Amino acid sequence: MKAYSESGGHAGLPVPRLALNEGRTTYGAWINFRDPAVVDILAAEGFDWICIDGQHGGAEIHELQPMVEAAHLFSVPSIVRVPGHDAGTLTRVLDTGAGGIIFPTVEDAATAETLVAACRFPPHGKRSYGPTRRSPRYPAPVPGNPQEDPLCILMVETAEGLANLDAILAAGPDAVFVGPYDLSLSLGMTFEELTGEGPGGVLAGIARRVAAAGVVPGIYTGESGLSETMTGLGFRFMPIATDSGLLATAARGAVSAGGNIGPRKVQGAAATS
């Protein structure tokens, strides 16, 4: 299927796909900055996937395409967290070629069904066909082929969403992604209480229920220690690092190393009064 305004050819580069259902845990990098060069640097290091945060991150919708392509040039699958449930915004993000969409704050079955359908071409859903914004480096998607559809990932991050988890799962998303910060606020717990409950806690229960429904359980972590804990609870999809966190950690390390090298005063410099 070809749109009249679509480019006549493409470079034949394969679009990287993230297979969440292979039974292994995948660890990604979370992008808060808006510069494609940041994606270049992190994608080159071999993360399983890159997620560009369009909800709380710096990138605007019109800036997403070069960031998605930066990940794809390193054969790293791309995911975008969209700012909400707006159909127009979603269409523009899907047309960039993003391989997965994370939707924030899904709280009921009707919303879940609408969002899943929006990610699927007919006859499986209601996504509109129009790949004219996509780079001609990559072939256009094939409507009707489920392998061409982006991953639909629904965030459960409120008490209401947790109460309706089974109904949300019944809509058939590819993954459920827990937002532990907002969920802890909604449940009246501290973040430390929620993430420290262990195998008998709320998060472990979510992971078990999601996996039992044949859906991949994911959670926002952003650093290795929490990622290890959440992996132990059964989660199989999480960012193990963020660009801003990596920069801050490296900066602290550099300042500390500079302090350990020796005094900053240059030997022989004249004293000032």
Side-chain angles (χ1 to χ4, degrees):
M1 182 174 182
K2 182 178 183 303
Y4 282 112
S5 55
E6 184 183 344
S7 176
H10 58 79
L13 297 176
V15 178
R17 300 288 180 185
L18 176 60
L20 287 178
N21 56 359
E22 291 183 338
R24 69 183 185 93
T25 302
T26 65
Y27 299 107
W30 197 266
I31 306 298
N32 293 311
F33 297 136
R34 64 198 305 170
D35 192 334
V38 174
V39 180
D40 269 334
I41 292 168
L42 294 184
E45 297 303 322
F47 288 96
D48 292 320
W49 45 269
I50 293 285
C51 181
I52 304 158
D53 190 355
Q55 183 187 25
H56 293 300
E60 301 293 342
I61 297 302
H62 68 276
E63 297 174 310
L64 293 175
Q65 184 162 343
M67 299 179 74
V68 167
E69 292 173 7
H72 290 181
L73 285 171
F74 284 94
S75 298
V76 178
S78 62
I79 299 169
V80 174
R81 178 163 74 167
V82 291
H85 303 163
D86 174 68
T89 298
L90 172 62
T91 297
R92 289 175 63 82
V93 174
L94 288 174
D95 286 347
T96 67
I101 303 293
I102 296 180
F103 293 98
T105 321
V106 178
E107 297 184 302
D108 55 68
T111 301
E113 291 166 2
T114 297
L115 298 178
V116 171
C119 290
R120 311 282 186 254
F121 285 119
H124 307 291
K126 297 183 177 180
R127 178 182 172 185
S128 174
Y129 185 80
T132 55
R133 296 183 68 245
R134 189 171 179 145
S135 169
R137 295 188 188 102
Y138 307 97
V142 179
N145 180 2
Q147 300 301 317
E148 297 286 333
D149 291 328
L151 297 171
C152 181
I153 303 164
L154 307 181
M155 289 195 74
V156 170
E157 49 186 345
T158 64
E160 184 174 355
L162 178 56
N164 293 321
L165 178 59
D166 292 336
I168 291 170
L169 290 167
D174 296 289
V176 161
F177 191 69
V178 177
Y181 292 94
D182 282 328
L183 183 58
S184 65
L185 291 172
S186 185
L187 295 177
M189 306 170 67
T190 66
F191 176 80
E192 291 73 21
E193 288 171 340
L194 179 64
T195 57
E197 286 184 317
V202 171
L203 294 180
I206 293 174
R208 286 193 294 269
R209 292 166 63 188
V210 173
V215 177
V216 175
I219 188 168
Y220 181 87
T221 52
E223 54 90 18
S224 59
L226 185 58
S227 296
E228 182 177 5
T229 299
M230 294 300 107
T231 299
L233 295 184
F235 289 96
R236 296 198 288 111
F237 167 70
M238 67 200 75
I240 199 168
T242 69
D243 55 359
S244 53
L246 290 170
L247 181 60
T249 299
R252 285 193 297 270
V255 171
S256 176
N260 292 331
I261 291 173
R264 298 187 183 184
K265 183 178 177 181
V266 178
Q267 289 184 349
T272 59
S273 58

